[in-house]
Amino acid sequence: MQYFTSDTHFFHDQLVGVNDFSNRNFIDAADMDEVIVQNWNEKVKPNDTVYHLGDIAMLHTKPSKLADERIFEILSRLNGHLILIKGNHDSRELFKYLDRHNFLIDGQPKFEFHDVGVLIKMNHRQYYLTHYPMMLGIVKQIINVHGHLHRYTVPIKENINVGPDSGDLDYLKTAVPFGAPLSSTELEEIVTQKGIDFAKRR
């Protein structure tokens, strides 16, 4: 199965709490990280594919190699093959470190890397997966799946924010546990319901 998420911000103590960016009601980042790992692994199987659309972690430990090691350790605990799209808080140095320490799961690499985005086809639509929201204009059957905005959403029905803080998650009938990636079915539900909502606004 395919899953989608963004903006996990592992280790990011400053993001914990209720603020303009998030509603992360945890004791600290360590508490948040463990909840994300648990909720992720209860949903995602080892052979599933997860598209992570950037801002994996925020950790400024020096030397940076120590930060890369800790991020590698927590990503290694997550089920699935991780397709990582670079966010504004993700360094190329981190991606190089992950690539050097990449390992195989059933013959496939744990990590795959993309600087800008990935285009996939699913259920007769094209999904352009990016970190930053893209303003594509009026295009039929193309959906921009993104992160970056945290609690904010783009007021365009073709833009879907899949971060754990996203207001677009409100379109789901059943709430997603914090940090659990969205399934392709849940993503389709958001696309459909957001489209219905925006049609009513005309």
Side-chain angles (χ1 to χ4, degrees), residues 15 17-24 148-152 165:
L15 198 62
V18 179
N19 52 59
D20 288 342
F21 292 100
S22 70
N23 188 16
R24 303 190 181 203
H148 186 64
L149 299 181
H150 291 267
R151 293 181 74 171
Y152 300 99
D165 309 302

Side-chain angles (χ1 to χ4, degrees), residues 48-110:
D48 290 335
T49 297
V50 183
Y51 292 90
H52 191 304
L53 310 186
D55 286 5
I56 300 164
M58 280 284 285
L59 185 60
H60 298 298
T61 302
K62 300 296 182 182
S64 60
K65 179 184 176 184
L66 296 178
D68 295 341
E69 288 174 354
R70 291 183 66 192
I71 296 168
F72 170 77
E73 287 171 3
I74 202 163
L75 292 182
S76 296
R77 293 174 58 198
L78 299 174
N79 284 344
H81 301 278
L82 308 186
I83 299 179
L84 304 175
I85 294 168
K86 188 176 179 297
N88 55 298
H89 292 299
D90 302 320
S91 68
R92 284 191 174 82
E93 181 180 334
L94 170 63
F95 276 21
K96 289 177 181 177
Y97 182 92
L98 296 175
D99 194 31
R100 287 195 303 271
H101 295 83
N102 213 344
F103 55 94
L104 299 179
I105 299 175
D106 288 339
Q108 294 185 40
K110 175 70 174 179

